[in-house]
Amino acid sequence: MLDIFGGLRRLFRRRTVCIDNVVFRLHWMLTSSVLVAASLAVTSRQYLGDPIACIRSGDSPSSRIVDTYCWIHPTFTIPKAFRKKVGVEVPYPGIDNSVHTEHKYYAYYQWICFILFLQAIFFYLPFYLWSVWEGGLLRAVTMNMQFAVVSEEERRLKRKIISEFVLRNLGQHRAYAMKYIFCEVLALINILGQMSLMDALLDGEFWSYGPEVVKFLSMDQEERSDPMIRLFPRMTKCIFYTFGYSGSIQKHDILCLLPLNILNEKIYVFLWFWFMTLSMLTFLVLISRGAVILMPSVRPRMLHARCRLAFREHIAKVISQTDVGDWFFLYMLGKNLDSILFKEMMADLSRNFEKEEIMPRNIV
């Protein structure tokens, strides 16, 4: 198991510079890793065995041929049989006499491993786009001052350089902030789009899958019908045709066991609850972004919450002289600079703005 998932540890390695927030990392780091791990688990036969095993009659072809045929062709269940009593009316949920009855076909299980991997790529895409646009700016500006264990002279010099960079580039960070917010919007669109994709893949049953599972667990043992077995049946039927000895067409009604669906049903239950939670968190983050853009009075409060050591009056003075792009850049600096260093930098910026306000009055 460690050999299979060991490569995913690279996504979780500690990064010295933080260029995003926690919710954004849940998209590209955690969710991508979970989806890749699920894709690897689905394709790993050493834990679940063969993905399909069919029960053949005595005159049907070899089991390997039947298994291969039924794997690459859709198998089916009988929807009415899910409501019948197992062991009395039917041998297994969804399995019944298939003559003159409605069939529900299942073809998605061959594609699940590929779709999970493709989903992981799409979850990583917004972060990749942002990392290209960000271009290492924060790494260059912070100069490894996340933990300022340096000499006082070096500390003073780097603080001066950072402060001068901020002053020189006032009003130049609006595009920087908008690109990041665009990537957050893209992350929300991605997760909603992926939920719609899974709903289409699972014949329109994904949106209701989570609530039905919760309802199933709370129902009485005798009355409940397992929605996981209905959506991911563990046993299905397959029709296989051959020529008889006289050249006539022979029909073989074959039962197929799908052990892979034991894992698939758990994966999609988890994904339903996780995607719902993540989409709500992302939506709340975007609401906060809208508040920052539309209500300037919110900006100093959020920046002070980011760095409690900085004085409120210094933060208020600096934010009053900057736009939303500068606020966002300062907020990201606060996440990547030593707290005391950031406090001193905000004091320097505040004094600089006060001088600019005083100088014109002295001249006049």
Side-chain angles (χ1 to χ4, degrees):
M1 184 68 75
L2 292 177
D3 294 338
I4 296 176
F5 303 125
L8 297 177
R9 290 178 297 180
R10 295 182 59 187
L11 283 175
F12 293 93
R13 70 181 186 272
R14 182 175 177 81
R15 289 165 171 80
T16 56
V17 178
C18 178
I19 63 172
D20 53 10
N21 63 15
V22 174
V23 175
F24 200 46
R25 284 196 293 276
L26 291 179
H27 281 266
W28 70 266
M29 182 186 291
L30 183 58
T31 308
S32 290
S33 300
V34 167
L35 289 169
V36 171
S39 178
L40 293 174
V42 166
T43 57
S44 178
R45 294 192 177 189
Q46 59 182 332
Y47 301 107
L48 292 173
D50 292 331
I52 190 170
C54 296
I55 304 172
R56 66 186 186 92
S57 57
D59 57 344
S60 62
S62 67
S63 58
R64 177 169 293 186
I65 293 176
V66 172
D67 289 353
T68 303
Y69 175 86
C70 293
W71 175 251
I72 63 178
H73 287 76
T75 58
F76 65 92
T77 58
I78 311 301
K80 293 181 180 179
F82 286 107
R83 296 187 291 270
K84 296 183 179 181
K85 192 171 183 179
V86 177
V88 178
E89 300 175 277
V90 292
Y92 194 81
I95 302 299
D96 201 355
N97 192 328
S98 56
V99 179
H100 305 303
T101 57
E102 179 187 359
H103 296 173
K104 181 179 181 181
Y105 289 91
Y106 301 87
Y108 53 76
Y109 45 76
Q110 301 102 321
W111 298 97
I112 282 180
C113 63
F114 303 106
I115 291 174
L116 289 171
F117 187 76
L118 185 64
Q119 286 181 278
I121 293 175
F122 276 102
F123 267 99
Y124 190 83
L125 187 60
F127 171 75
Y128 175 77
L129 188 61
W130 167 239
S131 63
V132 171
W133 282 341
E134 202 275 338
L137 177 62
L138 285 172
R139 180 181 295 277
V141 173
T142 54
M143 297 181 291
N144 297 320
M145 293 297 286
Q146 291 80 10
F147 302 99
V149 185
V150 294
S151 66
E152 186 61 31
E153 182 180 353
E154 182 180 354
R155 179 191 183 88
R156 189 164 47 249
L157 176 62
K158 289 189 175 181
R159 189 184 78 201
K160 181 181 178 183
I161 293 173
I162 296 172
S163 299
E164 288 179 353
F165 177 86
V166 174
L167 289 171
R168 266 198 326 269
N169 293 277
L170 286 177
Q172 304 299 315
H173 298 111
R174 185 180 293 272
Y176 184 82
M178 292 301 106
K179 287 177 181 178
Y180 180 74
I181 294 174
F182 171 78
C183 290
E184 288 185 324
V185 173
L186 190 62
L188 180 61
I189 294 173
N190 170 66
I191 194 170
L192 294 177
Q194 293 213 23
M195 293 174 73
S196 299
L197 170 67
M198 288 191 288
D199 189 64
L201 175 69
L202 301 177
D203 295 330
E205 296 191 43
F206 179 76
W207 289 110
S208 60
Y209 186 47
E212 286 186 2
V213 171
V214 174
K215 181 180 177 182
F216 162 74
L217 295 175
S218 62
M219 291 176 64
D220 185 72
Q221 181 73 27
E222 298 297 327
E223 300 176 357
R224 60 187 188 178
S225 174
D226 193 344
M228 293 186 287
I229 292 180
R230 188 177 67 251
L231 190 55
F232 297 98
R234 300 166 191 174
M235 184 170 286
T236 57
K237 301 188 75 175
C238 177
I239 302 298
F240 189 88
Y241 295 96
T242 59
F243 282 108
Y245 294 109
S246 62
S248 61
I249 300 296
Q250 292 185 341
K251 177 182 178 182
H252 304 275
D253 197 343
I254 298 169
L255 292 178
C256 293
L257 184 67
L258 300 172
L260 198 61
N261 275 346
I262 299 175
L263 180 59
N264 288 334
E265 65 184 26
K266 274 67 173 187
I267 289 173
Y268 278 88
V269 167
F270 171 79
L271 289 181
W272 190 93
F273 287 101
W274 177 243
F275 280 16
M276 284 294 182
T277 302
L278 189 56
S279 60
M280 287 188 289
L281 290 175
T282 309
F283 184 70
L284 291 175
V285 168
L286 290 176
I287 290 177
S288 71
R289 300 299 183 208
V292 166
I293 293 172
L294 299 176
M295 295 185 291
S297 60
V298 175
R299 299 171 194 170
R301 299 176 190 176
M302 292 187 66
L303 191 56
H304 184 262
R306 175 69 261 172
C307 185
R308 295 277 182 183
L309 295 180
F311 293 114
R312 289 181 182 273
E313 54 269 24
H314 292 164
I315 292 178
K317 171 61 70 176
V318 172
I319 297 304
S320 67
Q321 303 294 321
T322 57
D323 61 17
V324 66
D326 297 322
W327 172 88
F328 177 76
F329 184 72
L330 289 171
Y331 187 85
M332 298 301 286
L333 277 180
K335 298 176 70 171
N336 290 282
L337 288 178
D338 176 74
S339 298
I340 297 176
L341 179 64
F342 186 76
K343 169 189 172 183
E344 295 170 349
M345 186 194 75
M346 293 303 291
D348 291 344
L349 293 174
S350 177
R351 284 192 294 268
N352 186 278
F353 287 130
E354 288 176 355
K355 289 178 182 178
E356 289 182 355
E357 290 177 356
I358 292 172
M359 286 298 292
R361 289 198 294 267
N362 290 342
I363 293 173
V364 173

